[in-house]
């Protein structure tokens, strides 16, 4: 008997997307059609319009920033147009072409709150934060739990610099990151079945690891809105859903946070989400990935190839679902 087992990159979207989310996608698409958004997706004019808006970013003069050559990747860089038009940002829709809808996000003024178990809570304007931080460029792999990956030049600063600024008290164990919440610009946030705002977190040890990067730019320019402007996380040994976009709040706490995806579907998307080709997602294999720049299928690496930086953090952890 011949049974065709689809490879993970051949998965229909109904398999690669959590089922309840997939079923709700129709509602989103219907709403977008009503708003006239579908017609403009993918057209060159819409792409140009979206990027003309990005050119007005007040941080534009800061870029490009010096590249830190410690962090490079042997694979080819993903073309900018692909990395900036194939995105996940559920606030703007549960499909990949949210880059037009995301232009509705106002990124100035933008205030970042630092609160919880810190010496002194604060609110800091994004441009003041950018002025304080040592900006550099790093080329990182970026691997989504859905089975696709890219290689991108992020600009930003090490997250440990933000932790230093926050000065957490000795009892703090986790840092929780939250995305903005505003239904008037983010149609996805009108969908009450999602636990908005988008929330995820790291242990303090993870947040202060050398690799952990807060991203403010991409391809030598300010970060496009669809990629999570003005501030998003890149912790490249973890699946993409950990990489919170458009962050407005860092809270320090002694309790492990309930994250957006864990709250929705805890048996498929956990807190740790470290990349491991040998631990399949409950509905598909994680052994390989499709590079969305080249279309090539390549083997997935343990910790996405960053084991030398991060594996020590997990060596004594027992009974945790570290790879899901
Ligand atoms: N952050 C927010 N606020 N909303 C989201 O839907 N999606 C996550 C992550 N951060 C998401 C988010 C997922 S699933 C992935 S794979 C990455 O963003 C995608 O980042 P990219 O679009 O820059 O490739």
């Amino acid at each position: 008997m011949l049974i065709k087992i689809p490879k993970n990159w051949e998965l229909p979207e109904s398999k690669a997307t959590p089922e309840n989310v997939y079923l709700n996608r129709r509602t989103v698409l219907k709403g977008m059609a009503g708003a006239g958004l579908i017609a403009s997706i993918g057209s060159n004019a819409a792409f140009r319009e979206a990027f003309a808006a990005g050119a007005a970013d007040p941080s534009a003069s800061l870029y490009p920033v010096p590249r830190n050559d410690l962090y490079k990747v042997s694979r080819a860089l993903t073309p900018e147009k692909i990395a900036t038009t194939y995105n996940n940002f559920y606030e703007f829709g549960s499909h990949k072409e949210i880059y037009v809808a995301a232009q509705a996000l106002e990124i100035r003024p933008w205030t970042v709150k630092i609160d919880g178990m810190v010496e002194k809570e604060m609110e800091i304007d994004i441009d003041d934060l950018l002025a304080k931080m040592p900006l550099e460029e790093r080329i990182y792999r970026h691997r989504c739990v859905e089975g696709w990956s890219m290689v991108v030049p992020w600009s930003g600063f090490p997250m440990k610099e933000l932790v230093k600024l926050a000065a957490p008290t000795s009892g703090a164990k986790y840092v929780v990151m939250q995305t903005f919440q505003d239904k008037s610009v983010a149609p996805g946030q009108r969908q009450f079945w999602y636990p908005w705002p988008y929330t995820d977190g790291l242990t303090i040890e993870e947040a202060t690891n050398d690799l952990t990067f807060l991203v403010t730019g991409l391809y030598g320019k300010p970060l496009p809105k669809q990629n999570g402007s003005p501030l998003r996380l890149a912790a490249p040994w973890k699946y993409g859903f950990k990489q919170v976009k458009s962050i407005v709040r860092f809270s320090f706490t002694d309790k492990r946070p309930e994250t957006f995806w864990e709250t929705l579907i805890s048996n498929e998307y956990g807190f740790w989400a470290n990349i491991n080709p040998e631990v399949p997602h409950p509905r598909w294999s994680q052994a390989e990935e499709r590079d969305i720049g080249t279309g090539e299928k390549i083997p997935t690496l343990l910790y996405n190839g960053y084991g030398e930086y991060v594996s020590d953090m997990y060596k004594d952890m027992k009974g945790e679902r570290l790879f899901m």
Side-chain angles (χ1 to χ4, degrees):
M1 188 169 38
L2 179 70
I3 302 175
K4 182 170 174 353
I5 301 175
K7 305 275 189 306
N8 58 355
W9 54 88
E10 294 172 340
L11 285 174
E13 193 186 0
S14 57
K15 293 253 166 49
T17 305
E19 203 165 24
N20 59 340
V21 173
Y22 172 74
L23 293 175
N24 292 330
R25 183 171 177 264
R26 286 162 189 235
T27 323
V28 183
L29 289 175
K30 231 160 104 192
M32 290 188 69
L37 291 172
I38 284 182
S40 56
I41 282 172
S43 80
N44 274 333
F47 182 78
R48 279 198 299 275
E49 199 182 304
F51 286 87
D57 188 308
S59 68
S61 64
L62 298 177
Y63 302 95
V65 293
R67 180 172 291 175
N68 183 341
D69 277 323
L70 273 181
Y71 305 100
K72 49 189 180 203
V73 174
S74 53
R75 278 159 61 192
L77 274 190
T78 301
E80 180 178 357
K81 188 163 175 182
I82 296 180
T84 56
T85 55
Y86 185 93
N87 301 101
N88 276 335
F89 203 165
Y90 277 70
E91 284 82 343
F92 296 101
S94 52
H95 54 90
K96 297 287 178 277
E97 296 88 10
I98 52 74
Y99 68 92
V100 175
Q103 304 315 310
L105 178 62
E106 294 284 345
I107 51 167
R108 293 296 187 286
W110 191 276
T111 307
V112 176
K113 189 173 188 176
I114 297 179
D115 66 1
M117 300 176 74
V118 290
E119 271 169 22
K120 190 162 167 277
E121 297 193 337
M122 64 178 104
E123 289 198 359
I124 183 161
D125 176 79
I126 187 69
D127 294 304
D128 294 339
L129 183 66
L130 287 171
K132 276 186 204 296
M133 292 293 149
L135 296 180
E136 63 182 44
E137 183 178 75
R138 297 181 176 193
I139 298 177
Y140 275 175
R141 298 184 191 90
H142 171 36
R143 166 65 155 90
C144 178
V145 73
E146 295 164 349
W148 53 264
S149 67
M150 4 181 161
V151 176
V152 285
W154 301 120
S155 307
F157 56 90
M159 186 163 178
K160 64 175 161 209
E161 297 295 332
L162 181 122
V163 175
K164 216 189 281 170
L165 177 75
T169 55
S170 59
K173 293 195 174 77
Y174 300 91
V175 51
V176 187
M177 284 155 272
Q178 277 182 342
T179 298
F180 75 91
Q181 184 156 18
D182 182 353
K183 289 184 207 177
S184 69
V185 296
Q189 291 182 338
R190 291 181 211 140
Q191 297 178 313
F192 61 84
W193 51 88
Y194 288 112
W196 307 113
Y198 198 99
T199 302
D200 216 301
L202 296 171
T203 63
I204 303 278
E205 192 186 11
E206 290 176 327
T208 53
N209 185 278
D210 282 344
L211 268 186
T212 313
F213 204 51
L214 285 170
V215 172
T216 60
L218 186 58
Y219 296 93
K221 290 176 253 181
L223 189 61
K225 295 178 181 184
Q226 60 273 28
N227 294 91
S229 181
L231 189 65
R232 61 92 55 87
L233 177 70
W237 72 100
K238 291 182 179 283
Y239 289 115
F241 67 87
K242 294 290 292 182
Q243 327 296 334
V244 184
K245 292 182 166 180
S246 303
I247 300 171
V248 292
R249 184 174 177 199
F250 295 88
S251 288
F252 291 79
T253 165
D254 56 359
K255 287 183 196 61
R256 182 155 126 183
E258 287 173 12
T259 68
F260 182 88
W261 285 106
E262 196 175 22
T263 305
L264 268 177
I265 315 164
S266 64
N267 64 328
E268 300 196 359
Y269 306 101
F271 175 76
W272 297 103
N274 295 319
I275 296 169
N276 187 337
E278 286 176 13
V279 179
H281 180 279
R283 290 182 285 130
W284 58 85
S285 162
Q286 294 294 18
E288 292 182 299
E289 62 203 58
R290 180 175 54 90
D291 181 309
I292 62 155
T294 61
E296 238 180 284
K297 297 157 198 165
I298 51 177
T300 286
L301 303 172
L302 180 61
Y303 294 114
N304 207 16
Y306 294 104
E308 63 176 301
Y309 294 93
V310 299
S311 57
D312 271 6
M313 293 192 287
Y314 308 106
K315 69 179 188 313
D316 297 324
M317 281 191 195
K318 302 275 176 281
E320 291 286 347
R321 293 189 310 163
L322 290 171
F323 301 105
M324 173 169 290

